[in-house]
Every structure is written in structure tokens, then in C-alpha cells.
Amino acid sequence: MSIFGALNTAVSGLTSQSDAFGNISQNIANSQTTGYKGVNTNFVDYLTYSTATQNEPGSVVALPSYQNEVQGTIAQSRDPLAMAISGQGFFSVAEANGTNVNGQTTFNPLQYYTRAGDFTMNNEGYLVNSAGEYLQGWTVNPTTGIADQNKLAPIQVNQAQFNPVATSTADFSANLPATPAAGTPMSSQVQIYDALGTQQTLTLNWAQTATPGQWNVTVSSPNNSPTTTIGTATVDFGPTAGNAAAPPGTMSGITAGAGTTASTYTTGQPATLTVNANFGNGTQPITLNFGNFGQANGVTQYAGSTYSLINFSQNGVPAGAFTGISIQSTGNIVANYNNGQSLTIAQVPITTFNNADALQSQNGQAFTATAGSGNPSSQAPNNNGAGGLVVGSIEQSNTDIATQFTQLIVAQQAYSANAKSITTASQMLQTAINMIQ
């Protein structure tokens, strides 16, 4: 073994401990960085020559040991849009690289992944974390409510108002008295919406005919055009000459009158009356669901002397202003409006890798895929090995300060020991040189 070999070995020790010190310093510096994943140090021995009778000093190198799969502490956040992943996986994010001719943000085609879920909405409606990375997700079809899981794109919230929906169906439940009191009104006033989202009053007037169990109903509205009367029909209850199947008090038939169409009797099937209203915006068909033929639901005729409206509901919606978004544990991003409506616009998936520790680190607590990490696989939270989503929370750095300080002491002492080896080797060389004097 040569003294020069010992010197080289000690120098490699100094270099390795310097590298370890750098990793420790990085961990300590990022101990409060949201979603940061620490880097440990592994030391590897490289031999020069070693047998049973002779060993030549080699060297040591420091290799980083990434802790990308080690869970950090999940802490509550004041930001309702913040998210943390409990378990495996990452958020898919994009990095902006400029704007196009229309001033719209453009994105780097390279996919990035992060655990930094401190997202907020920027002035363009994008969800962006503190590192400036744009959250990506699956677009949800507003009609079907199904997410397109074949494509990831930056999530942008459209803050336009919720368009009004004209009433097209309404469920109506009431009891017409078997022995109505003379002079007692048998009518209901209910509210619906026209095509512009304006609330309109719909009145249903019931009048008993001379035939037992038979009523005439008139549907009207003060703003209907060209007349306030929209349509009429005749409704029968209980067994009749033409229909003995319906139990007493239940609907046995609807005969359409002027301006209406009606469903025909089939036991257990919907009893409906369709009218065509016009509130100045064109014809608006409205189907009134009176329950089921032959069943004690919807409109009935049972004992009593007064008319009773039990329930009315309809599918019309007025226009609504955007009030904000909320995020569900399923990853669904829901836009909310002041008309009481909500709309799922996107879903946040969680992306997993076969070997997340082999991801390539990037700026802003982000990573990119490598051959060693395997291909990304995105799925809904809590599916196929992906972690769960904790809303209104963030994942803190997975660095433990106490552990880092302990490793810092060890690295300092090891560095000093290697330096002492160099000093000793230098003294031995000086002794050898002095021998020729």
C-alpha cells in the first residue's frame, strides 16, 4: 500500500462527505417546502486491488438515494382548493411556456408530476400551485357527467353564468276531495321557468263534473300567449265504465282537451298531461306528471272536503352567476352558482409509477418520468393502487429535521477524520523526504 494511495482514498472520503453534506443542506433548506421529497446519501466502496494477502486502498463515492415514495405529514390548509395525496401517486402538472397570438397561455408538452398541492385559482381560471405549475385533469362531459380519461389537460374554470333551463317536466301531487265543500276553490298556483329563466306562474284549476270520480282540469298562466288558458283535460278516478281496473281513488284515465295531449291508461305507467305554453319565446312544451295509473301516488281522490297540494317539483332553472368551485375527495371539480345549481367540470386523477424513486427531479418540487421510473399511469383517487385525495390540506416536506441534524454531525465528524488521514499521510511523506538529508 502506498502513501499516495492512502492520500487518494482520503480525498475521495472528503469528496463523498461533501456530497452528503450538500444533500443534508438541501433537505434542511426545504424542510418547510410543500411536497418536497428528501434526498439521502448512500456510500459505495470502489476497490483497487484486494486479495487474501494484499489490499490496495480504493475510494468511496456518495450516491443520492431519493425518497420520492416516503409520505410527508398531511396538514390542514386555509385554502379550500389545496389538495394532498395520502398514499402513492402524484398530481400531473404542466409548465407554461408563453402565450399565443390571442394572449392565451401555452404549455410545455413535457409532462411534470408533483406532490405540491397548494393550488389556487389564477386570474385566467387555472389552478396553479406555489411553484407556478398548472394542475392537469380529465375534462368532464357536462351532459353525461363522464370524465374523458384518455387525455390530460390543464384545468381551466369557466366563470361564465349558468344558462337558464326552461321547464319541460313537472311532478304534481295532490288530493282532490271525495266530498268537496261548496264554494271551496280547487286550484294550485305553482312556479316554473321560461326559456329566458324568468319565473312564470302556472295555475291548475280543478272542477268536479256531474259524473262521480271525474274532474275537469284547466291549465293557465297570466303571461301565456295568445290567451291565458294553455289547455284543458278530463281526469277520471277509480273504476269507470270503460276501465274497471283502477282501485278507488286512483287515476283511471286522462282525456286530452284543447291544447293538450295525454298518456293512455296502463296499470302502473305514468299518467301525464302535456301542455304547450308560450311566454313570448316560442312554444314551450311542459309535461305534467300526475303519478301512475292505478296507484296511490301523484294525484288522487280520497276522503275529505278540501283540496290539498302535496308536492310540486320541476326541472327549470333560472340563470345563475358563478360563485366559486369546490373539490370533492373523488377528484371532481365542481363549479357552483348562486341559483343553487352546480356543474362538474373536471376530475383530478392521481398518477403512479412502478418506481417513483427513479423519477428525475426538476425545479419546483416537480419530477419527470425516466426509463427507470416506468410509464405514468393515471387513475381516479383510491383506484388501482393510487392514493386518496385529502381536500383542503397540503403534504408537508418529508424531511425530518432531527434526523438531518444527526446526519450532519456524522458527516462533519467523517469529514474531519478523512482530513486527519490526509494530514497524517502528509507527515509520513515528509518523514520519508527527510530521510535523504
Side-chain angles (χ1 to χ4, degrees), residues 38-372:
V39 183
N40 288 344
T41 306
N42 290 336
F43 296 96
V44 179
D45 175 35
Y46 287 115
L47 296 175
T48 299
Y49 181 77
S50 180
T51 68
T53 59
Q54 184 180 359
N55 182 70
E56 294 292 337
S59 63
V60 62
V61 296
L63 298 178
S65 175
Y66 298 102
Q67 307 296 301
N68 300 340
E69 295 187 294
V70 177
Q71 177 80 53
T73 301
I74 293 178
Q76 188 174 7
S77 172
R78 294 183 179 179
D79 178 11
L81 303 183
M83 292 176 282
I85 298 173
S86 176
Q88 299 302 306
F90 298 81
F91 297 111
S92 177
V93 292
E95 290 193 353
N97 60 4
T99 56
N100 60 21
V101 293
N102 297 319
Q104 298 171 327
T105 302
T106 58
F107 299 94
N108 188 330
L110 183 63
Q111 294 288 324
Y112 294 85
Y113 309 93
T114 188
R115 298 276 289 203
D118 50 346
F119 296 104
T120 57
M121 188 186 301
N122 70 6
N123 61 349
E124 293 182 305
Y126 288 105
L127 298 181
V128 184
N129 67 11
S130 58
E133 296 155 348
Y134 290 68
L135 178 64
Q136 295 195 109
W138 297 322
T139 301
V140 172
N141 185 307
T143 302
T144 64
I146 299 175
D148 180 4
Q149 299 185 2
N150 296 316
K151 182 181 179 181
L152 283 169
I155 297 173
Q156 186 177 26
V157 179
N158 186 344
Q159 301 182 34
Q161 71 172 13
F162 190 100
N163 292 333
V165 177
T167 299
S168 61
T169 61
D171 293 334
F172 188 87
S173 298
N175 185 62
L176 296 167
T179 54
T184 303
M186 307 292 171
S187 66
S188 298
Q189 287 190 338
V190 294
Q191 306 302 316
I192 61 171
Y193 293 94
D194 64 20
L196 299 181
T198 303
Q199 193 173 70
Q200 302 287 349
T201 299
L202 205 65
T203 301
L204 281 78
N205 284 307
W206 299 85
Q208 192 175 39
T209 71
T211 301
Q214 187 178 80
W215 295 74
N216 289 330
V217 59
T218 301
V219 182
S220 62
S221 178
N223 293 327
N224 187 68
S225 177
T227 64
T228 59
T229 298
I230 302 175
T232 63
T234 300
V235 181
D236 293 300
F237 295 89
T240 62
N243 179 14
T250 66
M251 201 173 302
S252 57
I254 303 177
T255 304
T260 64
T261 57
S263 57
T264 57
Y265 181 90
T266 302
T267 302
Q269 293 301 304
T272 62
L273 177 69
T274 300
V275 297
N276 294 305
N278 189 328
F279 301 109
N281 308 305
T283 301
Q284 180 178 338
I286 303 172
T287 298
L288 302 173
N289 181 9
F290 288 158
N292 299 92
F293 285 116
Q295 294 183 356
N297 60 9
V299 181
T300 57
Q301 184 193 27
Y302 288 125
S305 59
T306 58
Y307 169 76
S308 174
L309 175 64
I310 300 171
N311 181 62
F312 178 82
S313 62
Q314 52 85 45
N315 67 344
V317 176
F322 176 82
T323 59
I325 65 172
S326 57
I327 303 178
Q328 302 172 342
S329 60
T330 57
N332 287 341
I333 296 181
V334 180
N336 301 306
Y337 303 87
N338 65 359
N339 60 355
Q341 300 299 303
S342 61
L343 185 65
T344 300
I345 59 174
Q347 185 177 18
V348 180
I350 293 178
T351 302
T352 59
F353 296 87
N354 290 335
N355 182 16
D357 286 342
L359 290 169
Q360 175 63 53
S361 297
Q362 304 290 346
N363 290 331
Q365 306 98 272
F367 302 91
T368 51
T370 66

Side-chain angles (χ1 to χ4, degrees), residues 4-15:
F4 289 106
L7 274 171
N8 289 332
T9 299
V11 168
S12 73
L14 289 177
T15 302

